[in-house]
Amino acid sequence: MIQPFVAIRNVSKAFGKFQALQNVSLDVQAGQVLCLIGASGSGKTTLLRCVNQLVRIDRGGIWLDGDLLGMRVQNGRLHVLNDAEIARQRLSTGMVFQRFNLFPHMTALQNVAEGPVQVQRRKAGEVKAEALELLARVGLADKAANYPSQLSGGQQQRVAIARALAMRPKLMLFDEPTSALDPELVGEVLAVMKELARSHMTMIVVTHELGFAREVADRVVYMDAGRIVEEGPPGQVLSAPNEARTKAFLSAVLA
Amino acid sequence: MSPGPAQALAEGFPDLSGLAVARRMRWGRWTAALLIVLALLALARAFANGQIEWSYVGRFLTVPAILDGIINTVVMAVAAMALGIVLGVVVAIMRLSPNPVLRAVAGGYTWLFRGTPVILQLLLWFNLALVFPVIGVPGLWSGRAVDLMTPFLSALLGLGINQGAYTSEVMRAGMLSVDVGQYEAAQAIGMSHLRALRRIILPQAMRVVIPPLGNEFISMVKMTSLASVIQYPEVLHSAENIYYANSRVIELLIVAGIWYLAVVSALTPLQMLLERRFARGLTGNSG
Ligand SMILES: Nc1ncnc2c1ncn2[C@@H]1O[C@H](COP(=O)(O)OP(=O)(O)O)[C@@H](O)[C@H]1O
Ligand SMILES: [Mg+2]
């Protein structure tokens, strides 16, 4: 079997006494889309945040493209990386949040260009051209000069996707990117994500949009109470789940 | 259930669309206005009949000593406030740092300088020579404290460092008011802690802190008058020097008062400009 692009091994995370993730192990192959489903509070967001190192794991390890995240093995011990090293590792992952989190004091274009110019120190002119291309790619070429407050939710989320892509990430993480949107705006964001999947971006997507998962996902993972209960191709997990908990969850979502 | 066009409306509700809206008599407002006008008249009469030579007020309003004084007041207020804001931002960042040593140092600074009167701090700086006759960097440079601690420098340090303690709390509140999602989004595009604060958190905090900082600046303009005790020639000090000579105490105090009011009034439009600048993107229609 080829080396997985993302390898999550025996990851556990507790907040105080509460065990949010318990022994989670997972592989994502390069160019694949993995959809994470599960009830609220089952640990999906926490898992994504561990991969992006917004949360530090208690046990286990996460490898991205062969690199161990957040730690280094030296003389038989684990050493936690410093903030600068962690910031550098984050450059290879893009994250899209449920609540967009665009920078409200910057225009759409400035939001997209901020990371490449300020963090990657690329030339402003070249970045601007690329940022405009990205905005065009998410269908917002004419909104470059708008502030987030002048955009609809769906438009804001598309800018957020462009902002993440501007860092040229190798992996994209989506945390319920459409659940803060009015129903009629969900489609435009999903369309951008489908286009991204077709271009072979490796993606981990937390979503309740089962139609999207069925159409785009290579694998679907069902989580409950901080554990992976079931995983497999969408046809199996979504249509013919083995586990009773998965069945119960799916019938609740579809009801 | 569905109200179709055939729905019958109940009778007995007259059509109001033809009637004009009558003006309301606002008795409360009229009474209040009348009382205030009466009080002002009484006050004006008192001042007109009182022992005030208004011609002196007019004459001394623009004498060079007073004009120098108000310039010194404004210079000190701006310089001390600038020092206060720089210190305030640094200390606020320290207080929100993950490093416990920095947090403790910042907390200690705020505690010390908020806990003692400004006038005492001014006197301490001015009399620093009593504690440290010679100050400087060993091997590089040194000087006698008496020469170094001029009224200007003592006032700047005293007022600025004191202001920093207050400003740090204002800045900290402003930074805490920014949604944590902003910090996470900044981290997600690879920003370090400090860059996220500088590029993302502080610009958004500015919008919240400008009104309280405007307040602080107004206090600072007036607080500079305390520097008269250490011989800094600000406007109150100039007024005092003049009335020691000519005994026109009240007239010169009024002159100083007029100037303070003028400076403070000029600050309000300035604050509005700044508020608009930092509200960029945060209201629906700004461009
Ligand atoms: N920073 C935190 N501190 C304490 N508890 C947390 C924190 N983040 C998440 N949790 C808890 O961990 C559990 C899993 O949360 P989350 O990963 O957000 O679930 P999901 O995204 O599947 O809804 C929840 O019960 C939540 O309350
Ligand atoms: Mg979640």
Side-chain angles (χ1 to χ4, degrees):
Chain A
M1 194 171 167
I2 49 162
Q3 174 94 342
F5 192 70
V6 184
I8 300 172
R9 290 293 177 273
N10 306 314
V11 167
S12 295
K13 173 69 194 176
F15 296 107
K17 278 196 160 45
F18 181 79
Q19 201 68 39
L21 292 178
Q22 306 194 43
N23 244 353
V24 171
S25 295
L26 199 60
D27 280 347
V28 187
Q29 307 296 334
Q32 286 206 332
V33 176
L34 180 122
C35 281
L36 271 179
I37 60 172
S40 173
S42 57
K44 310 178 297 292
T45 297
T46 305
L47 185 58
L48 278 197
R49 291 160 62 87
C50 289
V51 174
N52 208 19
Q53 304 192 59
L54 294 172
V55 163
R56 184 180 294 163
I57 61 179
D58 297 337
R59 261 191 311 282
I62 302 175
W63 284 260
L64 179 64
D65 204 7
D67 292 332
L68 177 59
L69 295 183
M71 288 176 286
R72 181 181 22 231
V73 184
Q74 213 173 332
N75 305 327
R77 285 155 145 261
L78 282 176
H79 296 263
V80 175
L81 300 184
N82 65 35
D83 290 350
E85 291 167 318
I86 288 175
R88 204 170 314 127
Q89 285 188 334
R90 274 202 197 100
L91 293 180
S92 42
T93 53
M95 179 121 177
V96 174
F97 300 87
Q98 187 172 351
R99 303 220 46 94
F100 330 138
N101 296 353
L102 287 181
F103 307 132
H105 57 304
M106 298 181 185
T107 62
L109 181 63
Q110 289 168 336
N111 264 280
V112 178
E114 178 71 8
V117 172
Q118 292 293 327
V119 180
Q120 295 176 326
R121 295 276 165 215
R122 282 155 55 192
K123 288 201 190 64
E126 163 201 323
V127 168
K128 186 179 173 191
E130 196 178 308
L132 286 170
E133 260 171 54
L134 278 168
L135 284 173
R137 184 171 168 195
V138 299
L140 293 171
D142 55 333
K143 301 290 183 194
N146 285 40
Y147 285 94
S149 59
Q150 300 164 326
L151 298 171
S152 74
Q155 292 169 335
Q156 288 188 53
Q157 193 61 297
R158 286 185 281 153
V159 174
I161 294 173
R163 174 176 71 179
L165 291 176
M167 303 300 288
R168 297 173 177 165
K170 297 188 272 185
L171 169 70
M172 284 286 286
L173 307 172
F174 293 84
D175 189 6
E176 299 195 35
T178 58
S179 32
L181 297 177
D182 292 336
E184 77 273 19
L185 303 176
V186 168
E188 64 191 51
V189 172
L190 292 182
V192 168
M193 292 167 63
K194 284 176 195 168
E195 188 268 324
L196 204 55
R198 275 196 300 275
S199 71
H200 303 294
M201 173 63 80
T202 314
M203 296 160 58
I204 302 179
V205 182
V206 175
T207 186
H208 293 298
E209 299 289 335
L210 298 185
F212 172 84
R214 206 180 302 268
E215 181 184 339
V216 179
D218 295 288
R219 303 180 72 72
V220 174
V221 169
Y222 171 68
M223 285 182 71
D224 186 41
R227 296 174 186 276
I228 292 179
V229 173
E230 182 159 5
E231 81 156 295
Q236 183 230 307
V237 177
L238 298 177
S239 307
N242 295 323
E243 301 287 328
R245 276 183 287 177
T246 317
K247 278 178 201 155
F249 172 75
L250 289 173
S251 54
V253 170
L254 294 172
Chain B
M1 273 299 282
S2 67
Q7 191 193 9
L9 295 173
E11 303 284 332
F13 296 93
D15 185 9
L16 299 181
S17 52
L19 305 180
V21 179
R23 272 183 68 111
R24 236 167 69 198
M25 280 307 283
R26 296 185 157 92
W27 295 112
R29 288 190 197 179
W30 285 109
T31 324
L34 192 72
L35 285 176
I36 286 166
V37 167
L38 284 178
L40 284 177
L41 282 176
L43 201 67
R45 210 179 80 107
F47 270 91
N49 297 342
Q51 307 281 324
I52 299 172
E53 286 288 348
W54 286 99
S55 62
Y56 274 93
V57 173
R59 176 133 38 99
F60 280 99
L61 198 58
T62 52
V63 296
I66 292 289
L67 290 182
D68 284 350
I70 192 65
I71 288 171
N72 286 336
T73 294
V74 171
V75 167
M76 180 55 66
V78 170
M81 195 67 198
L83 178 60
I85 288 176
V86 170
L87 284 174
V89 170
V90 172
V91 171
I93 289 175
M94 284 167 68
R95 286 201 79 166
L96 295 175
S97 146
N99 180 335
V101 179
L102 292 183
R103 279 205 305 270
V105 169
Y109 164 82
T110 312
W111 169 78
L112 183 63
F113 287 95
R114 279 203 309 185
T116 50
V118 197
I119 194 154
L120 181 144
Q121 294 173 34
L122 286 169
L123 288 167
L124 279 177
W125 286 111
F126 192 53
N127 293 303
L128 203 64
L130 300 178
V131 198
F132 308 106
V134 178
I135 42 185
V137 189
L140 275 180
W141 167 92
S142 69
R144 293 199 313 150
V146 217
D147 306 329
L148 210 66
M149 293 314 285
T150 57
F152 178 85
L153 191 61
S154 311
L156 177 63
L157 290 176
L159 295 172
I161 292 174
N162 179 262
Q163 186 58 47
Y166 286 91
T167 308
S168 72
E169 287 295 281
V170 173
M171 295 306 305
R172 190 164 70 100
M175 288 161 71
L176 289 175
S177 76
V178 179
D179 180 40
V180 286
Q182 291 290 308
Y183 183 73
E184 292 184 343
Q187 280 189 306
I189 57 169
M191 285 195 177
S192 64
H193 177 69
L194 281 181
R195 191 184 304 280
L197 292 184
R198 187 165 63 78
R199 296 285 308 174
I200 308 301
I201 306 300
L202 279 174
Q204 294 182 61
M206 285 317 285
R207 190 178 63 99
V208 182
V209 302
I210 284 172
L213 279 189
N215 223 14
E216 297 277 306
F217 195 17
I218 288 172
S219 301
M220 174 60 85
V221 169
K222 295 177 293 181
M223 211 154 61
T224 52
S225 60
L226 291 179
S228 61
V229 300
I230 57 168
Q231 312 306 318
Y232 180 69
E234 47 73 56
V235 71
L236 189 63
H237 191 255
S238 315
E240 283 173 341
N241 279 343
I242 298 175
Y243 71 62
Y244 288 147
N246 69 4
S247 301
R248 292 285 168 195
V249 179
I250 297 299
E251 289 80 357
L252 278 146
L253 289 179
I254 289 176
V255 164
I258 290 173
W259 275 115
Y260 282 117
L261 276 174
V263 171
V264 169
S265 309
L267 290 176
T268 311
L270 210 70
Q271 180 179 334
M272 278 167 61
L273 273 179
L274 275 178
E275 278 180 29
R276 208 167 305 154
R277 164 73 174 70
F278 282 103
R280 231 181 6 183
L282 298 162
T283 50
N285 49 10
S286 65

